[in-house]
Amino acid sequence: MDDLRTAPTVGIVGCVLYLVALAVPYLLVETTSAVGAYYDSGALSPVIPGVFALVAIIVFAAGREGRTDPSVAAGAAIVLGLFIVGLTLLWATTVPVSLVLGLTESTLIEHHRWAVVVVALFVPLGAAWFARALRLF
């Protein structure tokens, strides 16, 4: 297995999964305005880390393909990944539980914010793996 290609691919997949996880409430909740309230109710909207995930996809791909110095790409991806996890965790801990429970009858939405945090962890893990494959640490 070629870690120099697999590790950034894991980071890219983690970013895509993060973006998909952000879209899940639109499938579970009947009204889109309720989803907007859900995302806006925390200290910081997870849409901001979603933008970071889009940037991280480009960083991972550029490092994997050699269009950017791989060590710079790995370092930038670690920073972006940590920001994604940190900001998502900040949002998940500040969303009022009463709002989450009132969104829909589906119990899946109760666990959504924590699932988003878990999925976000794949981004810095892929970046750290990439940095390790480059022997940066």
Side-chain angles (χ1 to χ4, degrees):
M1 176 169 47
D2 183 15
D3 286 350
L4 292 176
R5 294 203 49 83
T6 305
T9 302
V10 168
I12 291 170
V13 169
C15 291
V16 171
L17 288 175
Y18 182 81
L19 295 170
V20 168
L22 288 179
V24 166
Y26 290 101
L27 301 173
L28 297 176
V29 179
E30 291 78 25
T31 58
T32 57
S33 62
V35 176
Y38 171 57
Y39 282 145
D40 290 339
S41 65
L44 190 68
S45 174
V47 173
I48 295 168
V51 172
F52 287 157
L54 290 171
V55 173
I57 290 171
I58 296 167
V59 169
F60 277 120
R64 183 184 68 188
E65 299 301 320
R67 295 186 180 177
T68 298
D69 180 20
S71 60
V72 172
I78 288 173
V79 172
L80 285 168
L82 291 175
F83 271 112
I84 291 167
V85 171
L87 295 175
T88 303
L89 190 59
L90 175 67
W91 166 74
T93 56
T94 57
V95 172
V97 177
S98 61
L99 176 74
V100 174
L101 296 176
L103 283 175
T104 184
E105 294 176 9
S106 173
T107 58
L108 293 175
I109 198 74
E110 294 175 30
H111 307 291
H112 172 259
R113 56 194 168 142
W114 304 116
V116 173
V117 171
V118 169
V119 169
L121 291 172
F122 286 102
V123 180
L125 289 176
W129 184 11
F130 189 29
R132 180 155 167 70
L134 292 167
R135 301 190 192 287
L136 297 177
F137 56 84

